[in-house]
Structure formats: C-alpha cells, structure tokens
Amino acid sequence: MKETILAISGKPGLYKLVSRGKGNLIVEALDATHRRQPAFGTDRITSLGDIAMFTDDEDIPLMDVFESMKNLEEGKKSNVDYKKASGEELREYFAKILPNFDRDRVQNSHIKKLIQWYNILIENGITEFKDAEEKKEQE
C-alpha cells in the first residue's frame, strides 16, 4: 500500500498509482472526485513509504507515525482541526503521537500535512499502515 500512495509536489492531497504510461504515471486523486490524471517525470512524486519524520534519535517512517495516530484516534479521523489549530496545539497533539520528535526540524506545516494526509487515508478506508511482515518484525 505504502508504495502506491503518492504525494505530488505542488498538488494538494494524495494520489493512488493506477498505471504506468510512457514517460508518466497515471494517478487517481484520493478525494471525492477520484479524478485520474497523468503525473510526469518533471513532477516531484514521492511515495509515502519513502517519507520519514525527524526525531531526536533516528528518523521514523511515516507509516509508523500513521499507525501511532490510528492507535491514538482509535481508527477514526483526527480530532484536531489542523486548519484552525495554533502551532502550540499542533505540537502538543504531535507530542502524543511521537514524543521524541525533533522540535527544531519538524515545522507546524509538517504536522498539518501529516494530519491532513492521515484524514484522507482514513476517509478512503486505508487503515492498514504496516504490512503483516512489518508487524511481526516489531513484535
């Protein structure tokens, strides 16, 4: 799952990889429109599996952070309104999810984007953030 969900720089929201074309990818928006469009090699495309959050120790994969959010929110959407929350509220909330996050390098905009992406995934029924193999390894 984590390799097929994409973030495209300059475009809001998340996208699901549908197909590969010649010199481009066909992606589908993970929103109410489910509009399909091409994403070209000139677009900065990042798989959610390649993103990590800064901590004081080592970087934590985004999927682990989503899993922590899911546990905190009991599988529901985030109870924080990222559009209206103050920077202090965002940091307090994020400290519940990832207590040792790097307070110097993690910006409020990163936390807002994280909450937005988590809500998009939950709305689209994507709730398994770790593969079965990864869960077994951690246990």
Side-chain angles (χ1 to χ4, degrees):
M1 181 284 305
K2 61 186 176 187
E3 287 83 21
T4 61
I5 304 297
L6 309 171
I8 302 174
S9 182
K11 295 184 182 182
L14 293 173
Y15 298 85
K16 180 172 69 171
L17 177 64
V18 176
S19 177
R20 297 178 192 274
K22 222 176 198 179
N24 64 15
L25 300 174
I26 307 300
V27 296
E28 180 179 294
L30 286 179
D31 60 12
T33 65
H34 293 288
R35 197 176 96 227
R36 291 185 178 193
Q37 60 190 31
F40 299 97
T42 56
D43 295 325
R44 284 191 12 219
I45 303 167
T46 308
S47 166
L48 292 190
D50 295 335
I51 300 173
M53 295 299 287
F54 300 119
T55 67
D56 295 330
D57 303 323
E58 57 187 34
D59 295 349
I60 302 292
L62 187 63
M63 292 303 149
D64 292 351
V65 178
F66 282 153
E67 190 69 30
S68 295
M69 283 183 79
K70 182 175 102 173
N71 294 337
L72 178 70
E73 299 292 347
E74 299 173 353
K76 299 180 183 119
K77 286 175 60 173
S78 174
N79 60 7
V80 173
D81 184 354
Y82 64 91
K83 292 179 182 175
K84 295 180 181 177
S86 69
E88 189 175 309
E89 291 170 329
L90 290 171
R91 289 182 172 278
E92 284 176 20
Y93 176 73
F94 195 57
K96 294 177 189 173
I97 298 163
L98 194 61
N100 65 335
F101 77 96
D102 188 329
R103 279 143 176 85
D104 294 329
R105 296 195 298 173
V106 175
Q107 305 296 316
N108 293 342
S109 61
H110 299 152
I111 299 170
K112 286 181 178 184
K113 188 166 282 191
L114 175 86
I115 295 170
Q116 178 188 18
W117 287 354
Y118 172 80
N119 288 341
I120 289 171
L121 293 171
I122 294 297
E123 286 172 1
N124 284 278
I126 301 170
T127 58
E128 292 302 316
F129 301 117
K130 292 185 178 183
D131 297 334
E133 294 172 17
E134 289 176 324
K135 286 183 180 179
K136 285 180 186 177
E137 285 177 17
Q138 285 189 342
E139 292 172 357

